[in-house]
C-alpha cells in the first residue's frame, strides 16, 4: 500500500507536534522516521494508526483520501500499528490473543489464509478453533517464529509477544505496518527473526514505517528515511545515507562532526565516548557504597542469589540480560522495594536489611524505574507538582512560589521541553526521562537505574550519561540495567550478567566483547559464572582507560 501524507498538522496547546508534514511511503519499502525526542514521530505514527486526528492536512492510501477516526478505521483501511509494548491481553492464551478483533467470534480467517495462499482477503467465515490454531502455526512457520498456541501471554517474553501481535495484525489483512522502536527489549535472536520477517513483508509489497532511535536498525532495514525536527520535515535521504548524515539531519552539523566512536553506526549511540571518570579509588574513604552478602530474593517466577557484591563509590555496575532475568529484582532489592529473603544489604556502611523503603531513601538511595509513565511519574500531575511532592516540607505548608521557582530551575538545568504546569504525560519520552532525573535528590550515594536511556535520541542519551557520570565523580555509585549492549560496555566499570535468575560474577568491562556479552546473556555464563563461583570476592574495578 502506498501512503501519502499531505501537509498534516497537529497541535497540542502551544506545541506544534506536526507542522505541515508531507511525505510518501511506498509499497514494498521500509521507511524510517527519525528525529530527536519530541520531534513529532509518535504523533505522526498515531495519526496514521487512527489514534490521533490531525487538525489539518490529509492522508491518501493508494491514492484514495481516508479519514481515520479510530484504530479500527485504520485497521479496516489496512494499517496496523505494532506498539513498543504490544496491545495484548496477558490473561489470554496465545491463540485467544491471536484471535482478538477477528470479525467473527472464533475468527474469520480471511487475512491469514489469504496471506498463506497468496490470494485476496476471503469473505469472513466462521473459523473453528482447530483451524485457527493451524492457521496460526502455519503463519508463524512462514516467518520462522516458534509459537505455542496454548501458552499464556503473561508467560511470554516481550519479543514473543511482539511476534504474536505481528501475526495477529497480518491475519487481519494489514497492508501497511507501523513499528515504534520494535527492537527495544528483545533478544538478538528475536531481532534477527523480526528483521527477516520485515524483509519478507516488504518483498510481499507491504509498506513498513519504522520509528527508531537506533541508527543500526535504521541502517539495517530502511530504504528511505524522513527526519522530523520540531514537527517539520527536516530532510529525507535514500539509504544507505551514512550515520553522519543522519545525525546531522537530526541534530545539526555540530553534533555530527564530533569525533565518532569506533563502533559508531553499529550500536545505539553513534557518538564518541564520554570522558573517562577518574578511577574509583580502590580504598575510598567511607568504604563501599553498596555491599550485598549472601542475598536471596525473587518473585513468583525467579529466585536470584548473589553471594557477594561490593560496589565502590564512583563505580558504575552494568546489569546485562534479557528483560525479566532478575536485573529489576536486584535493583528493587537494593532500593528497599523488595525484601531480601536472606542475606545482608548494606548501603554506605549502614545495614539496611529488612528496613523499609524510607530508610533506603534516607541513606541516599535513588531509583529510576524503566516504566516512566506508570512507575516513575504520576500521570495528571505537572512538573511542578512532582517537584512539590519531592520537596522537603518546612512545617505543614508548601510554598507555591518556591516550588514554581524550583520547577523552573529544574526545567532550565535539565533542558526539559515543557513548562512548570505541563502535565508529565504530555512530555515526550526524552523529556519525561529528564524530569525523572530532575527529581533525583542532589546528594545520592547510590543510584539505581533501569534502562536509563530507553527511548532517548542519541544526543539526549549522551547528555543523560553526562549527568550520571557527574554524579559518579561526586562519589555516587551507580547500578544500571540496560538491554543496550553498547551502553553497557561503554559506561560500566564492571558488568553482572543475568540469565534466567542466574547471575555471573562481575566481569570487568575491559574483558568483555560484544560477542562474549551476547553469549553470556544467551545463557553461556561460562565457568566463572557457575553458582559456586558467586562466593568469590568481587574483582577490582576495570583498569583505567576502559571505554567510557
Ligand atoms: N497528548 C499530548 N498532549 C500534549 N502534548 C503532546 C501530546 N502528545 C505529544 N505532545 C507533544 O508533542 C511534541 C511531539 O511529541 P511526539 O511524542 O510526537 O515526539 P517524538 O518524536 O515521538 O518524541 P520521542 O522520541 O521522545 O518519543 C512533544 O513536544 C510532546 O510533548
Amino acid at each position: 500500500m502506498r501512503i501519502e501524507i499531505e501537509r498534516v498538522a497537529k497541535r497540542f496547546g502551544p506545541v506544534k507536534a506536526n507542522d505541515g508534514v508531507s511525505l510518501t511511503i511506498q509499497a514494498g519499502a521500509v521507511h524510517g522516521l527519525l528525529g530527536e525526542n519530541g520531534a513529532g514521530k509518535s504523533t505522526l505514527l498515531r495519526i496514521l494508526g487512527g489514534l490521533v486526528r490531525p487538525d489539518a492536512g490529509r492522508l491518501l492510501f493508494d491514492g484514495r483520501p481516508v479519514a481515520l477516526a479510530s484504530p479500527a478505521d485504520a485497521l479496516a483501511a489496512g494499517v496496523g500499528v505494532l506498539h513498543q509494548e504490544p496491545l495484548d491481553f496477558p490473561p489470554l492464551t496465545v491463540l485467544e490473543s491471536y484471535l482478538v478483533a477477528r470479525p467473527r467470534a472464533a475468527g474469520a480467517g480471511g487475512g491469514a489464509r489469504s496471506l498463506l495462499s497468496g490470494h485476496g482477503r476471503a469473505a469472513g467465515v466462521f473459523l473453528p478453533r482447530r483451524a485457527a490454531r493451524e492457521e496460526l502455526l502455519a503463519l508463524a512457520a512462514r516467518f520462522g517464529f516458534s509459537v505455542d498456541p496454548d501458552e499464556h501471554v503473561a508467560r511470554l517474553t516481550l519479543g514473543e509477544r511482539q511476534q504474536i501481535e505481528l501475526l495477529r495484525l497480518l491475519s487481519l489483512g494489514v497492508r501497511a505496518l507501523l513499528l515504534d522502536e520494535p527492537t527495544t527489549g528483545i533478544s538478538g535472536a528475536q531481532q534477527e527473526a523480526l528483521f527477516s520477517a520485515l524483509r519478507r513483508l516488504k518483498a510481499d509489497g507491504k509498506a513498513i514505517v519504522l520509528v527508531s532511535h537506533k541508527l543500526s536498525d535504521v541502517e539495517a532495514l530502511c530504504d528511505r528515511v524522513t527526519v522530523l525536527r520540531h514537527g517539520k520535515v527536516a530532510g529525507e535521504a535514500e539509504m544507505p545515507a551514512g550515520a553522519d548524515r543522519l545525525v546531522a539531519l537530526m541534530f545539526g552539523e555540530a553534533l555530527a562532526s564530533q569525533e565518532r566512536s569506533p563502533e559508531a553506526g553499529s550500536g545505539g549511540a553513534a557518538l564518541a565516548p564520554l570522558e573517562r571518570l577518574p578511577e574509583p579509588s580502590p580504598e575510598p574513604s567511607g568504604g563501599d557504597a553498596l555491599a550485598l552478602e549472601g542475598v536471596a530474593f525473587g518473585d513468583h517466577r525467579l529466585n536470584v542469589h548473589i553471594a557477594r557484591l561490593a560496589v565502590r563509590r564512583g563505580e558504575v555496575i552494568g546489569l546485562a540480560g534479557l528483560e525479566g532475568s532478575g536485573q529489576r529484582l536486584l535493583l528493587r532489592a537494593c532500593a528497599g522495594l523488595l525484601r531480601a529473603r536472606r542475606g545482608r544489604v548494606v548501603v554506605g556502611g549502614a545495614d539496611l536489611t529488612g528496613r523499609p523503603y524510607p530508610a533506603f531513601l534516607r541513606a541516599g538511595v535513588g531509583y529510576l524505574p524503566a516504566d516512566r509513565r506508570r512507575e516513575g511519574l504520576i500521570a495528571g500531575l505537572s512538573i511542578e507538582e512532582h517537584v512539590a511532592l519531592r520537596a522537603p516540607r518546612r512545617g505543614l505548608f508548601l510554598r507555591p512560589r518556591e516550588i514554581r521557582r524550583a520547577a523552573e530551575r529544574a526545567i532550565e538545568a535539565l533542558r526539559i521541553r515543557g513548562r512548570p504546569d505541563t502535565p508529565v504525560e504530555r512530555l515526550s519520552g526524552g523529556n519525561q526521562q529528564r524530569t525523572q532525573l530532575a527529581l533525583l535528590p542532589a546528594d545520592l550515594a547510590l543510584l539505581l537505574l533501569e534502562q536509563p536511556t530507553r527511548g532517548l535520541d542519541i544526543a539526549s542519551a549522551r547528555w543523560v550519561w553526562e549527568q550520571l557520570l557527574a554524579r559518579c565523580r561526586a562519589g555516587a555509585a551507580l547500578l544500571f540495567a540496560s538491554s543496550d549492549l553498547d551502553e553497557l560496555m561503554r559506561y560500566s566499570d564492571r558488568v553482572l550478567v543475568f540469565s534466567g535468575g542466574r547471575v555471573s560474577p562481575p566481569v570487568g568491562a575491559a574483558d568483555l566483547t560484544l560477542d562474549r556479552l551476547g553469549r553470556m546473556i544467551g545463557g553461556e555464563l561460562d565457568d566463572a559464572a557457575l553458582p559456586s563461583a558467586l562466593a568469590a570476592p568481587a574483582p577490582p574495578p576495570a583498569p583505567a582507560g576502559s571505554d567510557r
Side-chain angles (χ1 to χ4, degrees):
M1 176 160 79
R2 178 183 155 95
I3 299 176
E4 289 162 273
I5 300 166
E6 287 185 357
R7 298 180 302 283
V8 160
K10 178 72 192 174
R11 274 185 101 105
F12 294 105
V15 177
K16 290 180 177 171
N18 283 174
D19 188 7
V21 174
S22 296
L23 65 106
T24 300
I25 295 148
Q26 301 292 355
V30 182
H31 197 116
L33 213 49
L34 308 186
E36 61 184 336
N37 289 127
K41 308 174 296 290
S42 306
T43 303
L44 191 57
L45 213 67
R46 289 161 68 79
I47 288 172
L48 289 174
L51 291 138
V52 165
R53 281 212 215 190
D55 302 330
R58 60 176 194 157
L59 304 176
L60 294 96
F61 293 173
D62 283 334
R64 277 190 296 278
V66 286
L68 308 176
S70 69
D73 279 0
L75 261 180
V79 174
V81 185
L82 193 63
H83 295 275
Q84 208 179 87
E85 182 69 17
L87 301 177
D88 52 17
F89 304 90
L92 299 187
T93 65
V94 165
L95 181 59
E96 288 160 351
S97 190
Y98 171 72
L99 289 172
V100 165
R102 285 299 184 93
R104 297 278 166 92
R113 259 181 294 163
S114 64
L115 237 157
L116 293 168
S117 64
H119 295 128
R121 189 173 165 80
V125 288
F126 181 76
L127 183 67
R129 214 177 154 81
R130 217 181 60 215
R133 166 191 293 270
E134 280 164 16
E135 175 193 291
L136 167 61
L137 289 172
L139 195 51
R142 179 168 189 255
F143 291 101
F145 299 161
S146 126
V147 160
D148 174 359
D150 302 317
E151 185 59 279
H152 279 267
V153 170
R155 299 181 66 89
L156 302 184
T157 63
L158 183 66
E160 289 166 334
R161 288 167 56 207
Q162 185 189 60
Q163 292 177 354
I164 307 299
E165 180 65 355
L166 179 61
L167 297 179
R168 188 180 77 83
L169 291 173
L170 293 174
S171 77
L172 292 170
V174 301
R175 292 175 297 135
L177 258 179
L178 318 178
L179 300 109
D180 187 5
E181 298 272 1
T183 60
T184 299
I186 68 174
S187 72
Q190 287 166 340
Q191 174 170 327
E192 277 307 306
L194 175 69
F195 282 13
S196 79
L198 293 179
R199 290 193 185 104
R200 187 178 271 253
L201 291 170
K202 170 177 127 168
D204 288 349
K206 309 250 183 268
I208 296 168
V209 181
L210 175 74
V211 170
S212 182
H213 290 297
K214 294 186 191 162
L215 291 187
S216 51
D217 291 1
V218 173
E219 290 184 313
L221 279 177
C222 294
D223 301 289
R224 190 172 176 78
V225 300
T226 298
V227 177
L228 294 182
R229 215 165 163 188
H230 305 310
K232 292 188 161 73
V233 173
E236 295 221 5
E238 290 293 332
M239 297 296 286
D244 276 338
R245 167 118 194 268
L246 299 179
V247 172
L249 277 172
M250 281 188 278
F251 305 105
E253 289 297 337
L255 198 60
S257 64
Q258 288 190 30
E259 190 197 345
R260 289 161 52 78
S261 66
E263 71 268 38
S266 65
L271 301 172
L274 296 170
E275 284 306 302
R276 166 91 198 148
L277 295 177
E279 276 306 302
S281 118
E283 283 178 31
S285 55
D288 291 327
L290 171 73
L292 301 178
E293 286 163 21
V295 286
F297 47 85
D299 60 8
H300 61 288
R301 278 184 329 111
L302 284 181
N303 282 309
V304 181
H305 170 235
I306 293 181
R308 180 174 147 70
L309 176 70
V311 183
R312 295 178 171 84
R313 286 157 59 88
E315 197 180 8
V316 180
I317 303 281
L319 310 180
L322 296 180
E323 273 180 51
S325 301
Q327 312 88 306
R328 177 177 160 83
L329 295 176
L330 171 59
L331 292 176
R332 291 175 66 83
C334 295
L337 291 164
L338 173 71
R339 198 166 281 206
R341 291 180 186 141
R342 59 188 154 80
R344 290 196 331 135
V345 180
V346 180
V347 176
D351 190 342
L352 299 183
T353 312
R355 301 290 307 282
Y357 175 61
F360 284 75
L361 284 182
R362 282 195 298 276
V365 179
Y367 171 56
L368 242 63
D371 194 338
R372 303 187 267 268
R373 292 190 176 102
R374 260 181 269 176
E375 288 184 65
L377 301 169
I378 305 168
L381 296 192
S382 64
I383 296 177
E384 69 184 334
E385 283 164 336
H386 279 81
V387 170
L389 281 178
R390 299 287 169 104
R393 279 157 202 264
R394 279 188 227 117
L396 272 180
F397 300 104
L398 293 166
R399 299 172 191 198
R401 227 176 300 138
E402 276 178 30
I403 295 296
R404 165 74 47 129
R405 269 206 297 275
E408 282 166 354
R409 277 198 303 275
I411 286 170
E412 198 184 320
L414 295 187
R415 288 185 270 142
I416 299 167
R417 277 211 197 137
R419 295 188 322 225
D421 59 355
T422 306
V424 289
E425 71 275 17
R426 299 224 179 126
L427 299 171
S428 78
N431 286 300
Q432 287 176 350
Q433 182 69 339
R434 285 167 191 247
T435 304
Q436 283 211 117
L437 284 169
L439 295 170
L440 284 176
D443 49 355
L444 288 179
L446 178 62
L447 259 157
L448 307 164
L449 311 148
E450 271 181 77
Q451 313 291 350
T453 61
R454 171 168 288 176
L456 299 197
D457 64 53
I458 53 179
S460 299
R462 183 186 164 85
W463 183 88
V464 162
W465 272 106
E466 275 167 10
Q467 310 301 308
L468 295 175
L469 296 183
R471 283 175 177 264
C472 288
R473 277 193 290 276
L478 206 149
L479 261 72
F480 78 103
S482 175
S483 42
D484 181 335
L485 303 194
D486 285 316
E487 181 175 46
L488 284 163
M489 294 192 43
R490 181 173 293 192
Y491 295 114
S492 310
D493 292 302
R494 295 184 288 156
V495 176
L496 296 182
V497 185
F498 288 69
S499 181
R502 290 193 308 146
V503 189
S504 79
V507 185
D511 298 329
L512 279 174
T513 59
L514 273 181
D515 182 53
R516 182 174 175 210
L517 187 53
R519 278 188 287 112
M520 289 178 78
I521 288 171
E524 293 177 37
L525 287 187
D526 30 90
D527 293 345
L530 294 174
S532 58
L534 289 173
S546 73
D547 183 17
R548 177 160 101 186

